[in-house]
Protein backbone atom coordinates (compact mmCIF):
# COMPACT_ATOMS: atom_id res chain seq x y z
CA UNK A 1 0.00 0.00 0.00
CA UNK A 2 1.08 3.57 -0.64
CA UNK A 3 1.90 6.15 2.02
CA UNK A 4 -1.56 7.75 2.35
CA UNK A 5 -3.26 4.36 2.65
CA UNK A 6 -0.72 2.99 5.13
CA UNK A 7 -1.31 6.07 7.30
CA UNK A 8 -5.02 5.21 7.52
CA UNK A 9 -5.20 1.40 7.32
CA UNK A 10 -3.31 0.83 10.56
CA UNK A 11 -3.44 -2.32 12.68
CA UNK A 12 -6.21 -4.87 12.26
CA UNK A 13 -9.15 -2.92 10.99
CA UNK A 14 -12.02 -3.65 11.32
CA UNK A 15 -11.14 -5.26 14.65
CA UNK A 16 -11.78 -8.96 15.04
CA UNK A 17 -13.97 -8.73 18.16
CA UNK A 18 -16.69 -6.25 17.08
CA UNK A 19 -15.72 -4.83 13.71
CA UNK A 20 -14.72 -1.48 15.19
CA UNK A 21 -13.26 0.80 12.54
CA UNK A 22 -11.22 2.89 14.99
CA UNK A 23 -8.28 1.28 16.79
CA UNK A 24 -9.17 0.35 20.37
CA UNK A 25 -7.42 1.95 23.32
CA UNK A 26 -6.14 -0.80 25.59
CA UNK A 27 -6.05 1.32 28.72
CA UNK A 28 -4.67 -1.42 30.92
CA UNK A 29 -1.48 -1.80 32.90
CA UNK A 30 -1.44 -5.58 32.81
CA UNK A 31 -2.76 -8.64 30.94
CA UNK A 32 -4.04 -11.99 32.24
CA UNK A 33 -1.78 -15.00 31.61
CA UNK A 34 -3.45 -18.22 30.44
CA UNK A 35 -1.04 -20.22 32.53
CA UNK A 36 2.52 -19.72 33.80
CA UNK A 37 4.70 -18.66 30.89
CA UNK A 38 1.75 -18.37 28.48
CA UNK A 39 0.25 -14.99 27.55
CA UNK A 40 -1.96 -13.83 24.66
CA UNK A 41 0.98 -11.82 23.39
CA UNK A 42 1.09 -9.13 26.08
CA UNK A 43 1.98 -9.25 29.76
CA UNK A 44 2.60 -5.71 31.03
CA UNK A 45 2.08 -2.32 29.34
CA UNK A 46 5.57 -1.01 29.99
CA UNK A 47 6.95 -3.87 27.91
CA UNK A 48 4.32 -3.68 25.17
CA UNK A 49 0.70 -2.62 24.69
CA UNK A 50 -1.63 -3.44 21.75
CA UNK A 51 -2.54 0.22 21.02
CA UNK A 52 1.10 1.21 21.18
CA UNK A 53 1.99 -1.68 18.89
CA UNK A 54 -0.37 -0.42 16.18
CA UNK A 55 1.28 3.01 16.29
CA UNK A 56 4.76 1.49 16.31
CA UNK A 57 4.03 -0.73 13.31
CA UNK A 58 2.55 2.23 11.45
CA UNK A 59 5.57 4.48 12.06
CA UNK A 60 7.93 1.64 11.08
CA UNK A 61 6.05 1.19 7.79
CA UNK A 62 5.90 4.90 7.01
CA UNK A 63 9.65 5.24 7.58
CA UNK A 64 10.48 1.98 5.79
CA UNK A 65 12.21 0.60 8.89
CA UNK A 66 12.40 -2.80 10.53
CA UNK A 67 10.50 -1.83 13.68
CA UNK A 68 9.57 1.25 15.71
CA UNK A 69 9.12 2.03 19.38
CA UNK A 70 7.23 4.91 20.93
CA UNK A 71 8.14 6.92 23.99
CA UNK A 72 6.68 9.34 26.51
CA UNK A 73 8.42 12.29 24.80
CA UNK A 74 10.88 12.96 22.01
CA UNK A 75 13.57 13.42 24.66
CA UNK A 76 12.71 10.00 26.17
CA UNK A 77 13.25 8.50 22.70
CA UNK A 78 16.61 10.27 22.38
CA UNK A 79 17.70 9.33 25.91
CA UNK A 80 16.90 5.68 25.17
CA UNK A 81 18.86 5.73 21.89
CA UNK A 82 21.91 7.23 23.60
CA UNK A 83 22.02 4.19 25.90
CA UNK A 84 23.18 2.19 22.89
CA UNK A 85 26.55 3.84 23.60
CA UNK A 86 28.90 3.27 26.51
CA UNK A 87 31.35 5.25 28.61
CA UNK A 88 34.24 6.55 26.53
CA UNK A 89 32.31 6.73 23.24
CA UNK A 90 32.41 9.88 21.14
CA UNK A 91 29.51 11.37 19.18
CA UNK A 92 29.65 13.93 16.38
CA UNK A 93 26.47 15.97 16.29
CA UNK A 94 25.16 18.77 14.14
CA UNK A 95 25.72 22.11 15.85
CA UNK A 96 22.34 23.76 15.21
CA UNK A 97 20.09 21.14 16.74
CA UNK A 98 16.99 21.22 18.92
CA UNK A 99 17.89 22.97 22.22
CA UNK A 100 16.76 20.03 24.36
CA UNK A 101 18.98 17.65 22.39
CA UNK A 102 21.91 20.00 22.88
CA UNK A 103 21.18 20.12 26.63
CA UNK A 104 21.05 16.29 26.84
CA UNK A 105 24.39 16.03 25.00
CA UNK A 106 26.12 18.93 26.71
CA UNK A 107 24.77 18.91 30.28
CA UNK A 108 23.57 15.36 31.01
CA UNK A 109 25.40 12.61 29.11
CA UNK A 110 29.03 13.75 29.63
CA UNK A 111 28.58 12.81 33.32
CA UNK A 112 28.26 9.21 32.08
CA UNK A 113 31.47 9.44 30.08
CA UNK A 114 30.08 10.22 26.63
CA UNK A 115 31.97 12.80 24.61
CA UNK A 116 30.42 15.17 22.04
CA UNK A 117 31.68 17.33 19.20
CA UNK A 118 29.22 19.76 17.63
CA UNK A 119 29.83 20.89 14.08
CA UNK A 120 28.11 22.07 10.91
CA UNK A 121 27.46 18.91 8.90
CA UNK A 122 27.80 20.45 5.45
CA UNK A 123 31.43 19.61 4.69
CA UNK A 124 32.96 16.16 4.24
CA UNK A 125 36.45 17.22 5.27
CA UNK A 126 35.24 18.91 8.46
CA UNK A 127 33.30 15.79 9.53
CA UNK A 128 36.15 13.40 8.69
CA UNK A 129 38.65 15.52 10.60
CA UNK A 130 36.46 15.33 13.72
CA UNK A 131 36.38 11.50 13.70
CA UNK A 132 38.48 9.96 16.49
CA UNK A 133 39.29 6.33 17.34
CA UNK A 134 36.42 6.33 19.88
CA UNK A 135 33.82 7.96 17.58
CA UNK A 136 30.73 5.73 17.40
CA UNK A 137 27.80 7.86 16.28
CA UNK A 138 26.78 10.68 13.95
CA UNK A 139 23.73 12.63 15.13
CA UNK A 140 21.91 14.49 12.38
CA UNK A 141 19.05 16.94 12.15
CA UNK A 142 17.81 18.01 8.71
CA UNK A 143 16.18 20.44 8.21
CA UNK A 144 17.71 21.66 11.45
CA UNK A 145 15.93 23.41 14.29
CA UNK A 146 15.72 26.44 14.10
CA UNK A 147 17.94 27.43 11.12
CA UNK A 148 16.57 24.90 8.61
CA UNK A 149 20.05 23.88 7.49
CA UNK A 150 20.11 20.87 5.18
CA UNK A 151 22.47 17.91 5.52
CA UNK A 152 23.43 15.91 2.44
CA UNK A 153 22.51 12.41 3.64
CA UNK A 154 24.32 10.60 0.80
CA UNK A 155 27.56 12.33 1.77
CA UNK A 156 27.18 11.75 5.51
CA UNK A 157 26.14 8.10 5.20
CA UNK A 158 29.14 7.50 2.93
CA UNK A 159 31.45 8.84 5.65
CA UNK A 160 29.66 6.82 8.33
CA UNK A 161 29.93 3.55 6.41
CA UNK A 162 33.62 4.11 5.76
CA UNK A 163 34.31 4.67 9.46
CA UNK A 164 31.68 2.20 10.79
CA UNK A 165 29.69 4.86 12.64
CA UNK A 166 26.06 4.51 13.69
CA UNK A 167 23.92 7.20 12.04
CA UNK A 168 20.93 8.66 13.86
CA UNK A 169 18.64 11.25 12.32
CA UNK A 170 16.03 13.37 14.03
CA UNK A 171 13.34 13.38 11.32
CA UNK A 172 10.86 15.49 13.31
CA UNK A 173 10.85 18.47 10.91
CA UNK A 174 10.56 16.62 7.61
CA UNK A 175 8.45 13.63 8.69
CA UNK A 176 8.56 10.45 6.58
CA UNK A 177 6.11 12.10 4.18
CA UNK A 178 8.84 14.48 2.99
CA UNK A 179 12.02 12.56 3.85
CA UNK A 180 12.70 8.82 4.21
CA UNK A 181 16.22 8.72 5.67
CA UNK A 182 16.40 4.92 5.80
CA UNK A 183 16.41 4.90 1.99
CA UNK A 184 19.72 6.77 2.25
CA UNK A 185 21.21 4.16 4.58
CA UNK A 186 20.55 5.87 7.95
CA UNK A 187 20.55 3.37 10.85
CA UNK A 188 18.10 4.93 13.31
CA UNK A 189 15.36 7.54 12.94
CA UNK A 190 14.05 9.44 15.95
CA UNK A 191 10.96 11.63 16.20
CA UNK A 192 9.29 13.99 18.52
CA UNK A 193 5.78 12.77 17.70
CA UNK A 194 4.67 15.86 19.65
CA UNK A 195 5.17 17.78 16.42
CA UNK A 196 3.92 16.84 12.92
CA UNK A 197 3.18 13.14 13.45
CA UNK A 198 0.55 13.95 16.05
CA UNK A 199 -0.01 17.40 14.65
CA UNK A 200 -2.65 18.80 16.99
CA UNK A 201 -0.71 20.26 19.95
CA UNK A 202 -2.33 17.83 22.39
CA UNK A 203 0.32 15.15 23.03
CA UNK A 204 3.99 14.93 23.92
CA UNK A 205 5.59 11.78 22.54
CA UNK A 206 8.57 10.29 20.77
CA UNK A 207 9.53 7.44 18.45
CA UNK A 208 12.58 5.48 17.35
CA UNK A 209 12.70 3.52 14.09
CA UNK A 210 15.25 0.73 13.69
CA UNK A 211 16.76 -0.94 10.63
CA UNK A 212 18.32 -4.19 11.90
CA UNK A 213 17.30 -7.02 14.21
CA UNK A 214 20.15 -6.15 16.55
CA UNK A 215 19.09 -2.50 16.88
CA UNK A 216 15.46 -3.57 17.28
CA UNK A 217 16.29 -5.90 20.14
CA UNK A 218 18.51 -3.40 21.88
CA UNK A 219 16.09 -0.45 21.64
CA UNK A 220 13.23 -2.68 22.80
CA UNK A 221 15.35 -3.89 25.72
CA UNK A 222 16.26 -0.37 26.83
CA UNK A 223 12.70 0.92 26.43
CA UNK A 224 11.46 -1.80 28.77
CA UNK A 225 14.42 -1.66 31.16
CA UNK A 226 14.30 2.14 31.45
CA UNK A 227 10.51 2.55 31.25
CA UNK A 228 10.55 5.38 28.73
CA UNK A 229 7.47 4.19 26.82
CA UNK A 230 4.38 6.08 25.61
CA UNK A 231 0.92 5.66 27.17
CA UNK A 232 -1.90 3.88 25.27
CA UNK A 233 -4.08 6.99 25.05
CA UNK A 234 -1.24 9.16 23.74
CA UNK A 235 -0.49 6.46 21.15
CA UNK A 236 -4.11 6.52 20.06
CA UNK A 237 -4.00 10.29 19.62
CA UNK A 238 -0.82 10.08 17.55
CA UNK A 239 -2.39 7.33 15.42
CA UNK A 240 -5.34 9.57 14.76
CA UNK A 241 -2.98 12.41 13.87
CA UNK A 242 -1.01 10.25 11.45
CA UNK A 243 -4.16 9.48 9.44
CA UNK A 244 -4.08 13.04 8.12
CA UNK A 245 -0.29 13.47 7.98
CA UNK A 246 -0.10 13.57 4.15
CA UNK A 247 -2.82 16.19 3.72
CA UNK A 248 -1.53 18.26 6.62
CA UNK A 249 2.06 18.22 5.39
CA UNK A 250 1.03 19.35 1.92
CA UNK A 251 -0.91 22.25 3.33
CA UNK A 252 1.79 23.13 5.90
CA UNK A 253 4.24 23.34 3.02
CA UNK A 254 1.96 25.37 0.79
CA UNK A 255 1.36 27.89 3.60
CA UNK A 256 5.02 27.95 4.66
CA UNK A 257 6.21 28.63 1.13
CA UNK A 258 3.70 31.50 0.86
CA UNK A 259 4.80 32.91 4.24
CA UNK A 260 8.50 32.59 3.35
CA UNK A 261 8.00 34.26 -0.03
CA UNK A 262 6.00 37.07 1.58
CA UNK A 263 8.66 37.66 4.26
CA UNK A 264 11.48 37.45 1.76
CA UNK A 265 10.24 40.63 0.12
CA UNK A 266 9.59 42.50 3.37
CA UNK A 267 12.00 45.32 4.30
CA UNK A 268 11.72 44.53 8.06
CA UNK A 269 12.84 40.92 7.60
CA UNK A 270 16.64 40.93 7.51
CA UNK A 271 16.99 37.24 6.63
CA UNK A 272 14.48 34.48 5.91
CA UNK A 273 15.32 30.80 6.38
CA UNK A 274 13.23 28.26 4.45
CA UNK A 275 14.68 25.40 2.39
CA UNK A 276 11.98 25.91 -0.23
CA UNK A 277 13.41 29.33 -1.16
CA UNK A 278 15.88 29.21 -4.03
CA UNK A 279 18.12 31.58 -2.08
CA UNK A 280 18.44 29.02 0.77
CA UNK A 281 21.91 27.47 1.01
CA UNK A 282 20.60 23.91 1.15
CA UNK A 283 17.86 24.35 -1.45
CA UNK A 284 19.38 22.12 -4.13
CA UNK A 285 20.13 19.26 -1.74
CA UNK A 286 16.68 19.60 -0.14
CA UNK A 287 15.05 19.52 -3.58
CA UNK A 288 16.97 16.35 -4.43
CA UNK A 289 16.54 14.48 -1.18
CA UNK A 290 13.11 15.56 0.10
CA UNK A 291 9.61 15.36 -1.34
CA UNK A 292 8.73 18.71 0.24
CA UNK A 293 10.31 21.46 2.30
CA UNK A 294 8.21 21.38 5.46
CA UNK A 295 6.25 23.92 7.47
CA UNK A 296 8.80 25.83 9.55
CA UNK A 297 10.10 29.26 8.52
CA UNK A 298 12.61 31.29 10.54
CA UNK A 299 13.42 34.95 10.13
CA UNK A 300 15.71 37.59 11.54
CA UNK A 301 14.17 40.96 12.21
CA UNK A 302 15.82 44.32 11.67
CA UNK A 303 15.29 45.94 15.06
CA UNK A 304 17.09 43.57 17.46
CA UNK A 305 15.51 42.07 20.57
CA UNK A 306 13.09 45.00 21.12
CA UNK A 307 11.82 44.51 17.60
CA UNK A 308 11.36 40.78 18.22
CA UNK A 309 9.43 41.41 21.40
CA UNK A 310 7.11 43.95 19.83
CA UNK A 311 6.59 41.72 16.76
CA UNK A 312 5.72 38.65 18.87
CA UNK A 313 3.37 40.65 21.11
CA UNK A 314 1.46 42.01 18.12
CA UNK A 315 0.80 38.62 16.49
CA UNK A 316 -2.79 37.44 16.89
CA UNK A 317 -3.21 34.40 14.62
CA UNK A 318 0.28 33.05 15.43
CA UNK A 319 0.38 32.22 19.15
CA UNK A 320 3.59 32.94 21.04
CA UNK A 321 4.43 29.42 22.22
CA UNK A 322 7.07 26.70 22.20
CA UNK A 323 6.69 23.69 19.91
CA UNK A 324 5.77 23.33 16.26
CA UNK A 325 4.14 21.03 13.77
CA UNK A 326 0.54 21.48 14.88
CA UNK A 327 -2.42 22.70 12.88
CA UNK A 328 -2.22 25.96 14.89
CA UNK A 329 0.37 28.51 13.78
CA UNK A 330 2.95 29.27 16.47
CA UNK A 331 5.76 31.79 16.75
CA UNK A 332 8.63 31.56 19.18
CA UNK A 333 11.93 33.14 20.12
CA UNK A 334 14.69 30.46 20.05
CA UNK A 335 17.20 32.52 22.09
CA UNK A 336 14.92 32.63 25.17
CA UNK A 337 12.62 29.67 24.52
CA UNK A 338 13.43 26.50 22.52
CA UNK A 339 17.20 27.11 22.52
CA UNK A 340 17.64 28.87 25.88
CA UNK A 341 19.75 25.92 27.07
CA UNK A 342 22.50 26.95 24.62
CA UNK A 343 24.96 29.49 26.06
CA UNK A 344 24.78 32.82 24.20
CA UNK A 345 28.27 32.60 22.70
CA UNK A 346 27.63 29.06 21.40
CA UNK A 347 24.24 30.08 20.04
CA UNK A 348 25.63 33.06 18.19
CA UNK A 349 28.57 31.07 16.86
CA UNK A 350 26.18 28.64 15.16
CA UNK A 351 23.99 31.50 13.92
CA UNK A 352 21.00 31.46 16.30
CA UNK A 353 20.89 35.19 16.94
CA UNK A 354 18.80 37.16 19.44
CA UNK A 355 16.75 38.63 16.59
CA UNK A 356 15.76 35.19 15.23
CA UNK A 357 12.08 34.21 15.28
CA UNK A 358 10.85 30.73 14.39
CA UNK A 359 7.41 30.32 12.83
CA UNK A 360 5.54 27.04 12.71
CA UNK A 361 3.14 27.74 9.90
CA UNK A 362 -0.20 26.06 10.59
CA UNK A 363 -3.22 25.24 8.48
CA UNK A 364 -5.17 28.48 8.84
CA UNK A 365 -6.15 30.51 5.79
CA UNK A 366 -2.98 31.85 4.21
CA UNK A 367 -4.33 35.41 3.89
CA UNK A 368 -5.05 35.50 7.63
CA UNK A 369 -1.48 34.37 8.28
CA UNK A 370 0.20 36.92 6.00
CA UNK A 371 -2.10 39.72 7.19
CA UNK A 372 -1.20 38.85 10.77
CA UNK A 373 2.51 39.04 9.94
CA UNK A 374 1.91 42.27 8.01
CA UNK A 375 0.25 44.08 10.92
CA UNK A 376 2.92 42.86 13.37
CA UNK A 377 5.78 43.96 11.08
CA UNK A 378 4.12 47.30 10.43
CA UNK A 379 4.69 48.32 14.05
CA UNK A 380 8.46 47.86 13.87
C1 LIG B 1 10.58 19.08 20.10
C2 LIG B 1 11.74 18.40 19.51
C3 LIG B 1 12.40 17.37 20.20
C4 LIG B 1 12.02 16.97 21.61
O1 LIG B 1 10.77 16.36 21.67
P1 LIG B 1 9.80 16.43 22.95
O2 LIG B 1 8.62 15.67 22.48
O3 LIG B 1 9.52 17.88 23.21
O4 LIG B 1 10.51 15.78 24.08
C5 LIG B 1 13.45 16.75 19.57
N1 LIG B 1 13.85 17.12 18.33
C6 LIG B 1 13.25 18.10 17.64
C7 LIG B 1 13.72 18.46 16.28
C8 LIG B 1 12.17 18.78 18.21
O5 LIG B 1 11.58 19.77 17.53
Amino acid sequence: MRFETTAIHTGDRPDRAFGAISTSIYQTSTFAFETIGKTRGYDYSRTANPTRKVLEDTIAQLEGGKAAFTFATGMAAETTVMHLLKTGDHVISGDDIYGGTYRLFQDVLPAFGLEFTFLRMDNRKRIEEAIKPNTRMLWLETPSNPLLNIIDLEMVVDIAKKHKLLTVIDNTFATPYFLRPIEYGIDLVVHSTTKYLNGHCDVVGGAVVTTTDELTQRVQFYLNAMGTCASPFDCWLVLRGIETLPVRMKRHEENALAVASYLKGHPKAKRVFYPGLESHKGHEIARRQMKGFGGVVSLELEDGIEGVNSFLRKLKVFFLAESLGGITSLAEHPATMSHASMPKDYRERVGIMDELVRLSVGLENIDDLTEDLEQALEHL
Side-chain angles (χ1 to χ4, degrees):
M1 286 191 296
R2 292 162 184 83
F3 196 99
E4 292 79 357
T5 317
T6 304
I8 292 170
H9 286 248
T10 57
D12 281 325
R13 299 205 209 180
D15 91 320
R16 268 172 267 167
F18 302 110
I21 294 298
S22 167
T23 297
S24 302
I25 307 173
Y26 285 89
Q27 190 70 31
T28 183
S29 58
T30 191
F31 300 82
F33 281 57
E34 289 176 352
T35 174
I36 288 179
K38 189 157 186 287
T39 67
R40 294 173 184 85
Y42 293 92
D43 52 22
Y44 188 57
S45 277
R46 166 158 41 75
T47 314
N49 172 283
T51 311
R52 197 170 95 207
K53 180 83 168 88
V54 176
L55 173 62
E56 293 174 342
D57 289 348
T58 303
I59 294 176
Q61 281 179 51
L62 294 179
E63 287 282 1
K66 195 123 213 166
F69 299 95
T70 52
F71 298 84
T73 66
M75 291 317 302
E78 294 188 13
T79 300
T80 305
V81 161
M82 295 316 283
H83 281 73
L84 297 172
L85 301 176
K86 60 180 192 323
T87 299
D89 287 351
H90 173 240
V91 179
I92 301 175
S93 165
D95 58 0
D96 60 327
I97 51 174
Y98 171 64
T101 306
Y102 175 81
R103 179 171 51 201
L104 178 69
F105 291 176
Q106 180 69 20
D107 301 335
V108 178
L109 296 176
F112 297 88
L114 294 186
E115 208 190 315
F116 293 86
T117 299
F118 299 95
L119 49 82
R120 191 58 49 96
M121 293 268 185
D122 61 358
N123 181 292
R124 175 185 285 271
K125 189 155 165 281
R126 186 182 310 126
I127 301 170
E128 287 193 316
E129 280 173 3
I131 297 173
K132 307 197 274 188
N134 60 334
T135 306
R136 294 286 173 268
M137 180 188 280
L138 293 183
W139 185 279
L140 315 163
E141 217 182 276
T142 180
S144 66
N145 183 357
L147 294 172
L148 291 317
N149 281 312
I150 301 294
I151 297 173
D152 183 341
L153 294 183
E154 250 169 54
M155 184 257 288
V156 171
V157 168
D158 187 57
I159 298 171
K161 295 251 188 280
K162 225 165 70 190
H163 297 268
K164 298 196 167 44
L165 309 177
L166 191 66
T167 45
V168 186
I169 189 168
D170 184 336
N171 200 26
T172 299
F173 268 43
T175 82
Y177 187 64
F178 283 152
L179 176 64
R180 306 228 314 163
I182 290 170
E183 290 174 358
Y184 290 88
I186 292 285
D187 298 310
L188 288 165
V189 177
V190 304
H191 276 282
S192 169
T193 56
T194 310
K195 315 293 167 52
Y196 289 108
L197 290 188
N198 178 61
H200 292 75
C201 301
D202 49 16
V203 169
V204 285
V208 175
V209 187
T210 60
T211 53
T212 66
D213 289 336
E214 194 211 336
L215 286 170
T216 302
Q217 278 156 19
R218 292 186 70 201
V219 172
Q220 184 164 34
F221 174 81
Y222 285 117
L223 176 151
N224 184 48
M226 293 163 53
T228 42
C229 59
S231 79
F233 183 58
D234 285 354
C235 289
W236 185 84
L237 284 170
V238 177
L239 262 175
R240 160 189 276 224
I242 283 178
E243 294 176 338
T244 55
L245 180 71
V247 283
R248 283 189 288 108
M249 290 316 290
K250 270 193 188 158
R251 181 63 175 272
H252 277 299
E253 186 192 32
E254 199 182 297
N255 280 357
L257 189 59
V259 162
S261 308
Y262 163 76
L263 290 171
K264 184 86 189 137
H266 201 289
K268 296 282 183 189
K270 193 159 68 182
R271 294 172 74 192
V272 181
F273 304 84
Y274 183 65
L277 293 176
E278 272 174 33
S279 55
H280 188 276
K281 217 170 125 234
H283 178 71
E284 281 312 316
I285 299 167
R287 180 188 283 288
R288 193 172 70 231
Q289 109 185 342
M290 301 169 73
K291 251 187 66 187
F293 301 108
V296 179
V297 178
S298 294
L299 73 148
E300 273 174 17
L301 293 172
E302 280 293 356
D303 301 352
I305 188 103
E306 289 77 28
V308 167
N309 212 358
S310 131
F311 172 73
L312 290 172
R313 270 207 322 268
K314 292 278 175 354
L315 290 172
K316 293 185 183 75
V317 183
F318 284 85
F319 297 135
L320 172 56
E322 305 250 14
S323 202
L324 60 103
I327 51 175
T328 320
S329 288
L330 303 176
E332 70 108 22
H333 182 222
T336 59
M337 297 168 72
S338 60
H339 292 69
S341 58
M342 285 180 178
K344 189 176 165 73
D345 63 327
Y346 177 90
R347 226 188 343 98
E348 297 196 336
R349 201 164 61 239
V350 302
I352 306 168
M353 310 311 271
D354 281 348
E355 53 268 41
L356 188 76
V357 171
R358 188 189 73 196
L359 302 175
S360 174
V361 182
L363 306 188
E364 298 91 343
N365 183 286
I366 185 59
D367 295 334
D368 289 328
L369 295 178
T370 48
E371 280 166 32
D372 193 36
L373 295 167
E374 175 84 50
Q375 61 82 23
L377 287 168
E378 224 171 58
H379 289 83
L380 295 184

